[in-house]
């Protein structure tokens, strides 16, 4: 069966290959920058690409549990790598904005964060991702306990929601792509809420 083959492939592939693959798009951007292929505003192209890749990886990470529960495809061993890659792309997105776009003009930076809603939401999403990245290691799981670690990492859904709202407000028009990301995140959140409600009902149901 296809699912069995996919699961067999997932067991054989090391998550480290994901980290190596994640470098390729960045190298591609560097090559395009050096060849002038990024157009008249290369900084904006780089900034947008990195942010979009970060959002895509966040959504991919949210899809891992539904894939296992609904389709039987087990990619759980890749979840940490996907989350850290998402954080790396978002961090690079923010770094390009700070260093290349605004050139560390802190007055303008703080003004934009406070006055422009899409930047405010984007920074909130980044702040939500920080504790997730810092606790994506075995030592944190031991320190927090499995239950505490899982509760903390539910923040991923809020970070994803902040990311898609940031994207929608950034483009300022009702384009299809950001709306599709928004609907995907809302759907994944609703699935999580549904499964959590069922789990609570199962725990509190009287034993026959």
């Amino acid at each position: 069966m296809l699912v069995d083959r996919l699961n067999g492939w997932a067991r054989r592939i090391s998550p480290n290959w994901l980290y190596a693959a994640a470098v390729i798009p960045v190298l591609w951007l560097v090559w395009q920058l050096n060849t002038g292929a990024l157009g008249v505003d290369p900084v904006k192209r780089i900034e947008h690409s990195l942010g979009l890749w970060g959002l895509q990886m966040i959504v991919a990470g949210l899809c891992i549990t539904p894939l296992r529960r609904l389709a039987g495809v087990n990619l759980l061993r890749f979840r940490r790598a996907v989350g850290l890659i998402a954080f790396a792309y978002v961090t690079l997105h923010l770094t390009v904005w700070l260093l290349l776009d605004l050139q560390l003009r802190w007055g303008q930076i703080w003004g934009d964060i406070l006055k422009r809603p899409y930047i405010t939401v984007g920074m909130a999403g980044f702040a939500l991702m920080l504790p997730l990245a810092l606790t994506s290691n075995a030592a944190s799981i031991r320190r927090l306990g499995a239950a505490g670690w899982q509760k903390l990492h539910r923040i991923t859904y809020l970070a994803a929601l902040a990311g898609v709202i940031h994207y929608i407000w950034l483009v300022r028009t009702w384009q299809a792509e950001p709306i599709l990301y928004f609907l995907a995140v809302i759907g994944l959140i609703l699935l999580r809420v549904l499964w959590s409600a069922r789990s609570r009902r199962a725990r509190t149901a009287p034993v026959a």
Side-chain angles (χ1 to χ4, degrees), residues 7-193:
N7 287 333
W9 168 83
R11 287 191 294 269
R12 290 191 298 271
I13 299 297
S14 169
N16 291 331
W17 284 106
L18 284 183
Y19 297 114
V23 178
I24 296 174
V26 179
L27 295 177
W28 173 245
L29 276 180
V30 173
W31 183 84
Q32 288 183 303
L33 178 63
N34 289 332
T35 59
L38 293 178
V40 296
D41 195 348
V43 171
K44 284 296 183 185
R45 285 281 300 278
I46 293 171
E47 191 179 319
H48 174 77
S49 296
L50 291 168
L52 185 57
W53 294 339
L55 179 59
Q56 289 169 349
M57 294 302 291
I58 291 172
V59 175
L62 294 182
C63 288
I64 289 176
T65 296
L67 276 174
R68 181 176 61 87
R69 297 188 66 164
L70 298 177
V73 178
N74 191 349
L75 302 176
L76 288 177
R77 67 196 300 258
F78 299 104
R79 185 160 56 187
R80 181 185 300 180
V82 170
L84 289 175
I85 292 167
F87 179 73
Y89 281 145
V90 171
T91 301
L92 287 173
H93 169 70
L94 175 61
T95 301
V96 169
W97 178 66
L98 291 173
L99 292 182
L100 301 182
D101 193 351
L102 296 188
Q103 300 178 8
L104 292 180
R105 295 190 293 267
W106 291 106
Q108 184 177 349
I109 289 168
W110 289 115
D112 283 351
I113 291 173
L114 295 174
K115 295 177 183 178
R116 299 192 179 191
Y118 77 93
I119 295 179
T120 306
V121 172
M123 291 299 294
F126 176 75
L128 288 169
M129 293 183 74
L130 274 173
L132 304 179
L134 293 174
T135 57
S136 290
N137 53 75
S140 294
I141 295 174
R142 289 193 298 270
R143 185 167 58 251
L144 295 170
W149 187 88
Q150 289 176 356
K151 287 180 180 179
L152 175 64
H153 279 249
R154 289 173 188 165
I155 295 174
T156 304
Y157 293 93
L158 294 177
L161 190 59
V164 292
I165 292 173
H166 170 72
Y167 188 16
I168 290 172
W169 278 349
L170 173 65
V171 298
R172 298 177 183 175
T173 57
W174 291 102
Q175 297 181 20
E177 186 177 12
I179 296 300
L180 289 175
Y181 280 110
F182 177 78
L183 293 176
V185 169
I186 293 297
L188 291 165
I189 291 173
L190 290 176
L191 271 179
R192 176 72 192 191
V193 170

